[in-house]
Amino acid sequence: MGFPKGFLWGGAVAAHQLEGGWQEGGKGISVADVMTLGGPNKPREITDGVVPGKIYPNHEAIDFYHHYEEDIALLAKMGFKCFRTSIAWTRIFPNGDETEANEAGLKFYDDLFDTLHRYGMEPIVTLSHFEMPYNLVTKYGGWRNRKLVDFFVRFAVTVFKRYKDKVKYWMTFNEINNQRDVNTEFTAFTNSGVLYKDGENRYEVLYQVAHHEFVASALAVIEGHKINPDFMIGNMIAHTTLYPLTPNPKDILAAFDEDNFKNNFCGDVQVRGEYPSFIFRYFKEHNIDTSYITEEDKKIIKEGTVDFYTFSYYMSNCVTVDENAETTAGNMSKGAKNPYLKASDWGWQIDPDGLRYTLNLLHDRYPHTPLMIVENGFGAFDTVEEDGSIHDDYRIDYFKGHIHAMKEAIEDGVPLIGYTTWGPIDLVSAGTGQYAKRYGFIYVDRHDDGTGDFSRSKKDSFYWYKKVCESNGEEI
Ligand code: BG6
């Protein structure tokens, strides 16, 4: 069987992690612009505005704003069929609450999408990827405020209209589910511009935020289809696959519950158009008032279901009731360590088989919805040899395993339509703000100490992924 004809091979990035040019073309300050450099054991600091003397890696990122023609030409050499990026909301509406869009920002993306088409690449665009206008945080309290729904829909409609003939594939909120953990202040801020207040019921805040985002996402889908009925508008879920650590039925139930609330809740709302029954028990147990879910909202959510389901997959984790079990880090959330798996230097467990399992689970859950993997990749320290070469076999091995798993899942009957690796060109890590955590097939000479001239070079994985794209996955 193999990969279907027209399968979308490519790579994915987010505006704030590669563009730089944080004050160019009338761009406003985003939430990413007030987050400092962190490290593996040093959380990024969220500062009160931009504070002189602090290091903000996203301000310059990899300066894609000035290098995009060169970068797209390089990606095209690998045979990319598509390129996923986000539109920085702050380039279009610098403060988020204006009524007039910023023409210079719109023009930048016109040029970007035209360049992609010139090289035969389909743009895949995320509307909100951890980079909302900072003004919406300070003035409105982020997504806890219902006014954000209108601001977001205005932004979505503006870009849908402008790019209706240039962009077909869209997604609304990146990793909408990764803010489910009330103990992680980081994701509440990056995703939704929420800063917790002392003593408030964080669960209530987060679920109200999620509800506003569900309504905004559904309205965007509804409006988008009016503008171009051929649009494919998807959701985006951070899928960390969860296994029970042991056969203890308590672990099995704990994994089942966590999977429902971390992975399935948001997908169910956005694909099936209604809140799943299991979440109401959770609401009750955490004293969450749900009176904000109106009948009108329910209708919107039912009408604005997504056209395809997209997700990120980096790793799996285990779940256990044993409080003394060894833990490991992960993509925005921790889990119990799996004794059968190796992990990256950042503790992310490498599990290609988990991808086949996940694709099958998702297809079983949403049988009529095409699936796309929009992030998968391996963050690692790379070494540049004296002759400039970079031998990243570890990255090639990671991808080989995952692409093989995709092939198996397609054999299983899963309707997978595309695959974009995370960070085909090195960029700023979202979690740590580091350059040192590299994902790319293309190396960027830029370092955490601010040195480097932003020059680009090809790693071994560049030549390997080129074969994959050009052979439609036959040669891995
Ligand atoms: C996903 C995000 O969570 O993981 C990306 O959508 C992010 O923005 C990616 O970069 C990898 O995470 P990190 O922390 O290694 O950059």
Side-chain angles (χ1 to χ4, degrees):
M1 241 164 117
F3 290 93
K5 200 162 161 262
F7 189 81
L8 290 165
W9 293 99
V13 298
H16 72 285
Q17 289 173 260
L18 92 165
E19 282 181 5
W22 73 292
Q23 287 184 305
E24 293 197 49
K27 182 184 171 298
I29 298 178
S30 78
V31 290
D33 292 325
V34 300
M35 292 175 52
T36 65
L37 171 67
N41 297 309
K42 183 177 159 224
R44 300 184 76 175
E45 190 189 343
I46 298 164
T47 55
D48 187 7
V50 175
V51 178
K54 300 258 181 200
I55 301 171
Y56 299 101
N58 300 78
H59 288 187
E60 288 183 304
I62 60 159
D63 199 29
F64 180 78
Y65 191 73
H66 297 109
H67 287 74
Y68 69 89
E69 301 224 37
E70 173 197 343
D71 291 343
I72 291 168
L74 271 171
L75 300 174
K77 282 205 175 116
M78 269 188 283
F80 271 36
K81 311 282 180 270
C82 69
F83 180 64
R84 173 184 173 229
T85 188
S86 58
I87 294 180
W89 188 343
T90 49
R91 288 204 190 281
I92 313 301
F93 291 100
N95 291 313
D97 57 357
E98 298 91 340
T99 48
E100 287 293 311
N102 171 34
E103 180 54 32
L106 289 167
K107 173 84 179 40
F108 171 72
Y109 292 104
D110 264 322
D111 294 345
L112 178 62
F113 300 147
D114 289 345
T115 310
L116 288 170
H117 282 297
R118 230 179 18 253
Y119 284 100
M121 277 183 240
E122 192 72 53
I124 300 182
V125 175
T126 319
L127 292 170
S128 183
H129 192 139
F130 308 168
E131 56 207 358
M132 60 184 281
Y134 184 56
N135 174 60
L136 297 182
V137 177
T138 51
K139 198 159 155 192
Y140 300 92
W143 277 93
R144 62 170 85 223
N145 190 324
R146 178 133 193 157
K147 284 194 179 131
L148 273 271
V149 175
D150 297 336
F151 299 146
F152 177 82
V153 174
R154 184 182 299 151
F155 164 55
V157 167
T158 303
V159 296
F160 284 159
K161 283 189 176 157
R162 178 78 169 216
Y163 308 120
K164 68 179 185 339
D165 300 319
K166 298 185 183 183
V167 179
K168 173 180 174 171
Y169 296 93
W170 301 85
M171 51 200 76
T172 53
F173 291 90
N174 184 64
E175 296 190 335
I176 191 167
N177 61 320
N178 74 6
Q179 44 191 337
R180 302 276 67 80
D181 181 355
V182 290
N183 300 312
T184 314
E185 302 191 9
F186 179 73
T187 45
F189 184 71
T190 52
N191 284 45
S192 302
V194 165
L195 292 165
Y196 291 119
K197 297 173 189 156
D198 287 344
E200 70 182 343
N201 179 350
R202 290 184 173 194
Y203 293 98
E204 198 152 82
V205 175
L206 275 191
Y207 283 90
Q208 182 145 18
V209 157
H211 182 69
H212 291 159
E213 289 172 355
F214 291 147
V215 173
S217 173
L219 283 169
V221 174
I222 294 167
E223 293 304 315
H225 286 153
K226 286 185 203 156
I227 293 163
N228 184 346
D230 290 335
F231 276 174
M232 289 280 288
I233 310 177
N235 59 342
M236 200 306 206
I237 301 291
H239 206 288
T240 298
T241 299
L242 299 169
Y243 306 124
L245 182 65
T246 72
N248 178 349
K250 300 267 183 257
D251 279 359
I252 290 174
L253 273 180
F256 174 78
D257 283 342
E258 197 167 318
D259 189 36
N260 266 344
F261 122 89
K262 278 199 177 152
N263 291 320
N264 296 330
F265 164 53
C266 295
D268 285 2
V269 176
Q270 294 184 297
V271 177
R272 295 174 170 164
E274 51 195 45
Y275 275 67
S277 50
F278 60 77
I279 204 72
F280 291 100
R281 172 173 185 174
Y282 185 84
F283 287 163
K284 208 162 103 200
E285 286 175 359
H286 292 89
N287 294 319
I288 299 174
D289 169 20
T290 52
S291 56
Y292 53 80
I293 306 176
T294 66
E295 288 308 310
E296 179 57 22
D297 290 350
K298 285 188 197 161
K299 265 198 248 156
I300 293 170
I301 288 173
K302 192 78 201 170
E303 206 187 321
T305 53
V306 292
D307 303 310
F308 68 136
Y309 178 106
T310 88
F311 66 105
S312 60
Y313 178 87
Y314 290 91
M315 55 179 297
S316 63
N317 264 335
C318 291
V319 182
T320 178
V321 290
D322 176 2
E323 288 174 2
N324 298 317
E326 198 180 343
T327 61
T328 186
N331 185 13
M332 316 282 175
S333 62
K334 280 191 173 165
K337 200 167 160 145
N338 187 328
Y340 298 96
L341 298 179
K342 295 207 171 82
S344 78
D345 288 329
W346 282 261
W348 296 22
Q349 301 186 124
I350 304 164
D351 183 13
D353 291 328
L355 181 56
R356 174 180 171 197
Y357 172 65
T358 302
L359 283 163
N360 275 282
L361 285 183
L362 289 172
H363 177 46
D364 204 29
R365 195 167 188 97
Y366 311 120
H368 308 296
T369 307
L371 304 176
M372 181 161 178
I373 301 161
V374 291
E375 286 185 31
N376 172 241
F378 191 64
F381 296 107
D382 289 333
T383 307
V384 185
E385 306 296 338
E386 268 182 23
D387 64 356
S389 56
I390 298 152
H391 305 304
D392 56 342
D393 316 1
Y394 36 88
R395 186 168 290 113
I396 296 174
D397 286 349
Y398 178 94
F399 284 125
K400 268 189 188 170
H402 287 80
I403 294 175
H404 176 74
M406 283 155 49
K407 220 172 186 174
E408 291 284 316
I410 289 173
E411 295 285 338
D412 295 332
V414 172
L416 182 65
I417 62 167
Y419 175 67
T420 54
T421 66
W422 178 250
I425 179 164
D426 291 345
L427 35 64
V428 172
S429 155
T432 67
Q434 291 174 289
Y435 288 98
K437 190 179 188 190
R438 294 177 182 273
Y439 283 90
F441 305 120
I442 300 168
Y443 184 86
V444 178
D445 181 35
R446 183 69 176 169
H447 308 278
D448 293 330
D449 61 3
T451 59
D453 63 6
F454 292 110
S455 59
R456 282 48 174 157
S457 54
K458 297 167 191 160
K459 306 182 192 175
D460 286 356
S461 56
F462 180 98
Y463 303 98
W464 173 80
Y465 194 54
K466 179 176 165 63
K467 272 197 305 183
V468 175
C469 296
E470 290 179 349
S471 67
N472 195 28
E474 283 305 306
E475 283 183 53
I476 55 172

